[in-house]
Amino acid sequence: MKPTSIIIASLFIVACSIIDIANSTNEEGVQYVDKKCSNLQSDSQSYFFYSFLDKQYQKVNKLRGFISEQNYKDLNVALAQFNEHWEILNLQTYQACKKLVRCEYLKRQYISSYNKQQRNRSKLDINKQRMCEKSSFEFDLSRVKRVSFYSDVERLELVKEHH
C-alpha cells in the first residue's frame, strides 16, 4: 500500500469517527445534559429566594396607603430588579452547567473513540484532564455568584428582623 493511500484511509477513519461522535450528541447528549442540569431549576436557594420575594411584595402592598405612590412604585421596581437579577444568575448557572456537561459528554465520547484506536494513552490522560477546565471554572463561578447573591439576600432578611 502506498503512503498516500494509508494517509487517505486514516483521514477517512478519523472523519467517520468524528461524525459518529457528533451524531450521538444530537440525541443522547441533549438528554444527558438536560438530565444533569435540570436539578438547578428547582433547588432550595430558589425556593428561599422566591419565598422571600413574595413576602416582600406582600409587605409593600400593605404599605400602599401609608407611603407615597412614588415610593410604592420605587419599591416595586426594586423588587422586580431583584427578581430579574436572580433570574439572570439562574440562567447563567444553567447555561454554564449545560456547557460543562456537554463538554464532559464529548470528552467521554472522544476518549472512547481514542481508546478504540489504541493510541498513546498516557498522552490522552494529560489532555483529557484539561479538556473542560474552562467550562468547569465558568460553572463554578456562576454558582459562586448565585450563592453570594443568596447570602446577601439572607443577610438583608436577618438585619431587617433585628430592627
Side-chain angles (χ1 to χ4, degrees), residues 72-86:
Y72 176 77
K73 288 179 183 177
D74 290 345
L75 287 171
N76 274 306
V77 167
L79 288 173
Q81 289 173 343
F82 222 33
N83 185 48
E84 183 179 329
H85 187 66
W86 180 255

Side-chain angles (χ1 to χ4, degrees), residues 67-123:
I67 60 175
S68 72
E69 195 61 28
Q70 185 59 43
N71 283 345
Y72 176 77
K73 288 179 183 177
D74 290 345
L75 287 171
N76 274 306
V77 167
L79 288 173
Q81 289 173 343
F82 222 33
N83 185 48
E84 183 179 329
H85 187 66
W86 180 255
E87 291 296 325
I88 289 169
L89 291 174
N90 279 336
L91 181 61
Q92 287 173 347
T93 301
Y94 182 69
Q95 288 173 338
C97 177
K98 284 175 57 174
K99 186 176 178 183
L100 174 61
V101 172
R102 199 176 303 120
C103 179
E104 290 172 346
Y105 181 81
L106 289 173
K107 180 173 75 173
R108 266 192 294 143
Q109 293 289 327
Y110 173 73
I111 291 168
S112 173
S113 172
Y114 193 88
N115 287 340
K116 287 177 187 174
Q117 295 173 15
Q118 298 296 320
R119 292 187 182 161
N120 185 353
R121 291 188 182 160
S122 63
K123 183 178 179 185

Side-chain angles (χ1 to χ4, degrees), residues 37-43 46 90 93-94 97 139 143 146:
C37 296
S38 65
N39 64 344
L40 290 174
Q41 302 296 327
S42 61
D43 65 0
S46 290
N90 279 336
T93 301
Y94 182 69
C97 177
F139 180 58
R143 292 186 317 184
R146 276 182 79 217

Side-chain angles (χ1 to χ4, degrees), residues 43 63 66 80 112 115 118 126 130 135 144 146-148:
D43 65 0
L63 293 174
F66 301 101
S112 173
N115 287 340
Q118 298 296 320
I126 293 168
R130 295 188 178 129
S135 298
V144 167
R146 276 182 79 217
V147 169
S148 176

